[in-house]
Amino acid sequence: MGTILVAAMPFAGHVNPVASLAGELVRRGHEVHAYTGAKYAERFERVGALPSLWRSAPDFDDARLGETFPVIGDGHGFRATLANLRHVFIGTAPAQTHDVARLAAAVRPDAVVADALCLGPGMWAQREGIPWASVSLVPLSLHNPWGPPTGLPFLPADGGPAALRNRLLASVLTAGPGSVLRAFVNRARAAAGLGPTRRPGLDSLYSARLTLAQGIAELEYPRPEPVPGVEFIGELAPPSEGALPDWWGSWPAGSDVVHVTQGTLDVDPDELLRPAVLGLAGGAAATSMRPVVVLSTGGGPGVGGLPEGVFAADFLPYGRILGEVSAVVSNGGYGTVLASLAAGVPLVIAGGAIDKPEIARRVAWSGAGMNLKTGRPTPAQVRDAVARVLGEPAYRRRARELGEAIVAAGGSARAANLVEERLLR
């Protein structure tokens, strides 16, 4: 058995999957120490890991990120995305390495397994020669010479002008914005005691020894050749905790149930929850398509008075509800996307911030859902998209195909196998 340091940025969408892997490693008898923010220490304690908190690095509450990092504004748009990368993820890395060095002096880890966007632990491991694996929690943003580049509203192409455009853009962005990002990373690496990387863009965030990639190849754009070290492991699913609300199942048998969620980070109900209620159960809803609507508010303010056929809770146990859901309307959090697909449920995605537009494009490209191409859809957009994914069987068939692939990829058990095989032997 080994001593393993796991690390996750203190965001719910990062902590939950890493905690799932940590719990599997604990169950196998390893001593697991978890580096994360104070808000999520208990999440790791629940699975038997020993939490160690951000000290030198500026800890924050992910629900109020702008209070600690005002430069990110409302988190929407290209500038906000760049600010997140520069200040929240890359900028905190040198201080993270100080925290990890203090922890490592006490516990002497045999290996490090870190959220790819929690850079400090991986940098420390590289500096000290400790085996290191990264965990990619969202679709890979590794350079793809075939394109399309991550973040741009283009899809893969087999040939012709579109394929040429994608490859040119991949080259141009690697030389332009990609070189800027690499400069940010190299400044952080220098502050952490490492030499510069020559890998393009954000590629150095991924371990070439082992990158545990949530998702499956079917949700990744084609590449000329496999990326060294990358293993797709499906869904790092947290335990399905919590009881079902008393109202669950209080609708007629055979009803279409549509689950609507904005996750836990962007919880302004005017972005998605309220338009969904108006479109699916309000005056804009077609009388022939009036499903049961189940909202999860992520602890946000909710939408106030709910019309008949609409139910709401702060959080819902996905492992218990998704098998009874006909469609999911989401803002594109990857955890929700993978959980929905693993249950064979098609999606409608309204992604507006950070990585969510990219995730929405990939789901639509895969054939398992629709991309509304906005983070603030109208009620009619939600209504029409839900009617389409419910009315066209191809969406559910494709969701089930992808779900089978996600389950077959092995999840936390296979991820733990890979950690043991490649880092501890």
Side-chain angles (χ1 to χ4, degrees):
M1 296 298 102
T3 299
I4 303 171
L5 169 63
V6 303
M9 290 293 286
F11 294 92
H14 294 235
V15 167
N16 287 333
V18 174
S20 173
L21 174 54
E24 178 64 24
L25 292 168
V26 169
R27 283 190 291 275
R28 296 179 180 212
H30 300 289
E31 180 180 311
V32 179
H33 296 262
Y35 176 64
T36 193
K39 181 176 178 178
Y40 292 108
E42 192 270 339
R43 201 73 60 90
F44 284 101
E45 288 177 334
R46 250 187 267 165
V47 300
L50 304 169
S52 180
L53 305 183
W54 285 34
R55 301 293 185 196
S56 299
D59 200 357
F60 56 84
D61 182 338
D62 55 344
R64 297 192 294 272
L65 187 61
E67 294 179 6
T68 306
F69 302 98
V71 69
I72 69 170
D74 64 1
H76 292 72
F78 176 77
R79 289 186 178 180
T81 299
L82 186 62
N84 262 286
L85 285 170
R86 181 178 183 181
H87 298 283
V88 182
F89 297 107
I90 300 172
T92 61
Q96 292 174 32
T97 62
H98 293 307
D99 289 341
V100 171
R102 283 197 296 268
L103 172 62
V107 306
R108 298 183 180 276
D110 299 304
V112 172
V113 180
D115 165 8
L117 287 172
C118 190
L119 279 63
M123 288 182 175
W124 175 85
Q126 292 172 73
R127 188 182 74 195
E128 301 299 323
I130 303 295
W132 162 61
S134 54
V135 185
S136 177
L137 301 172
V138 296
L140 296 172
S141 57
L142 287 155
H143 171 64
N144 183 354
W146 283 9
T150 298
L152 292 187
F154 301 115
L155 296 176
D158 293 332
L164 178 60
R165 175 207 62 204
N166 286 347
R167 296 186 189 193
L168 286 173
L169 283 171
S171 177
V172 167
L173 291 181
T174 297
S179 66
V180 173
L181 287 174
R182 185 172 61 185
F184 293 158
V185 171
N186 278 336
R187 281 199 286 272
R189 287 173 64 88
L194 286 172
T197 179
R198 295 186 179 278
R199 297 175 71 183
L202 297 174
D203 283 24
S204 65
L205 277 58
Y206 300 91
S207 170
R209 182 169 188 156
L210 175 61
T211 289
L212 301 166
Q214 268 213 129
I216 50 177
E218 291 88 338
L219 291 170
E220 295 288 338
Y221 297 150
R223 293 173 175 272
E225 57 188 22
V227 181
V230 171
E231 297 283 352
F232 291 103
I233 44 83
E235 180 195 10
L236 293 172
S240 184
E241 298 177 337
L244 290 170
D246 292 341
W247 46 257
W248 184 264
S250 61
W251 40 81
S255 298
D256 282 323
V257 179
V258 177
H259 173 51
V260 186
T261 176
Q262 287 180 212
T264 58
L265 192 58
D266 296 313
V267 293
D268 177 359
D270 288 333
E271 290 190 3
L272 180 56
L273 296 181
R274 187 165 283 117
V277 170
L278 291 173
L280 299 174
T287 56
S288 60
M289 202 287 294
R290 189 69 68 91
V292 175
V293 179
V294 175
L295 312 176
S296 60
T297 65
V303 297
L306 299 176
E308 183 180 356
V310 180
F311 304 84
D314 284 346
F315 302 97
L316 290 164
Y318 274 7
R320 299 183 183 182
I321 73 164
L322 287 176
E324 302 178 42
V325 167
S326 305
V328 169
V329 180
S330 165
N331 69 344
Y334 209 39
T336 296
V337 165
L338 292 176
S340 301
L341 293 177
V345 181
L347 291 136
V348 171
I349 301 185
I354 315 300
D355 56 341
K356 293 176 176 60
E358 178 69 30
I359 292 168
R361 282 190 290 274
R362 294 187 185 217
V363 168
W365 170 74
S366 77
M370 292 193 64
N371 176 13
L372 297 183
K373 300 181 181 180
T374 176
R376 289 181 173 268
T378 65
Q381 285 177 304
V382 177
R383 177 200 67 209
D384 293 346
V386 168
R388 185 171 175 183
V389 299
L390 291 179
E392 297 183 17
Y395 287 107
R396 179 166 286 274
R397 282 199 302 270
R398 185 57 174 155
R400 286 174 175 165
E401 290 171 357
L402 296 180
E404 290 172 0
I406 289 169
V407 172
S412 297
R414 180 159 176 266
N417 288 343
L418 289 163
V419 168
E420 291 174 334
E421 293 165 5
R422 299 197 188 177
L423 302 188
L424 297 178
R425 292 180 184 173

